[in-house]
Amino acid sequence: EQLQEIVDKGINAAEEQQKKLASKPFDYAEKLESEAREYSVKTLRKRYNGYSDSLFDQLRNLNSRFGSFAGDLVAKLEKEAAEGADAVAEAAEDVSDAAKDAKKTVEPKKTAARKTTARKTTSTAKKSTASA
């Protein structure tokens, strides 16, 4: 009888342990099932759409910032290019004025040189007619 009681206790302990182990997967499945019911397809769709809308709003905001930055950069470059063009125009004007001044100083010398050449040619011509 004692042996039978020991075996009975062993069987009871084994049964209890088996039930505990077997209940674990079912407990997890029940928990998962209840959480899955919390998140219905409608709720999941709302969350997805909310995240999606937020993402695209942020992308639009970023695009707007880049557009503003690019516009400012182009305006700055155009301003610098215009200032550079003005500087080149001023320099060209200065060069043109200097060229005109140089031309004015060279022209009287050219006229004087032409008169001298013309006098030499005339006197040479007179000499040739006088010797003939």
Side-chain angles (χ1 to χ4, degrees):
E1 240 179 70
Q2 280 184 337
L3 184 61
Q4 208 173 8
E5 280 182 29
I6 293 173
V7 171
D8 247 358
K9 284 182 183 179
I11 291 172
N12 290 340
E15 181 182 20
E16 192 176 313
Q17 287 299 319
Q18 189 275 334
K19 285 183 181 179
K20 280 184 182 178
L21 288 173
S23 72
K24 293 250 183 204
F26 292 106
D27 291 342
Y28 287 127
E30 287 172 354
K31 184 177 179 183
L32 181 65
E33 183 181 40
S34 69
E35 287 178 3
R37 286 185 191 147
E38 264 183 47
Y39 297 108
S40 67
V41 174
K42 286 183 181 181
T43 306
L44 291 173
R45 182 179 296 212
K46 284 180 185 177
R47 282 188 175 188
Y48 171 79
N49 289 338
Y51 294 141
S52 178
D53 291 344
S54 175
L55 171 71
F56 288 109
D57 287 343
Q58 289 176 359
L59 288 173
R60 284 185 190 92
N61 186 12
L62 183 64
N63 184 38
S64 175
R65 286 183 177 180
F66 277 135
S68 295
F69 175 74
D72 293 345
L73 186 62
V74 167
K76 185 176 182 180
L77 291 173
E78 285 176 346
K79 180 182 175 186
E80 288 178 8
E83 288 171 356
D86 290 344
V88 168
E90 286 178 25
E93 202 172 297
D94 292 345
V95 168
S96 175
D97 291 344
K100 287 177 185 175
D101 291 344
K103 184 177 179 182
K104 286 178 185 176
T105 58
V106 170
E107 287 214 357
K109 291 178 184 176
K110 278 187 180 178
T111 309
R114 283 186 193 150
K115 287 180 183 176
T116 311
T117 308
R119 286 182 193 155
K120 286 180 184 176
T121 310
T122 310
S123 59
T124 309
K126 285 181 184 177
K127 286 180 186 176
S128 12
T129 36
S131 42

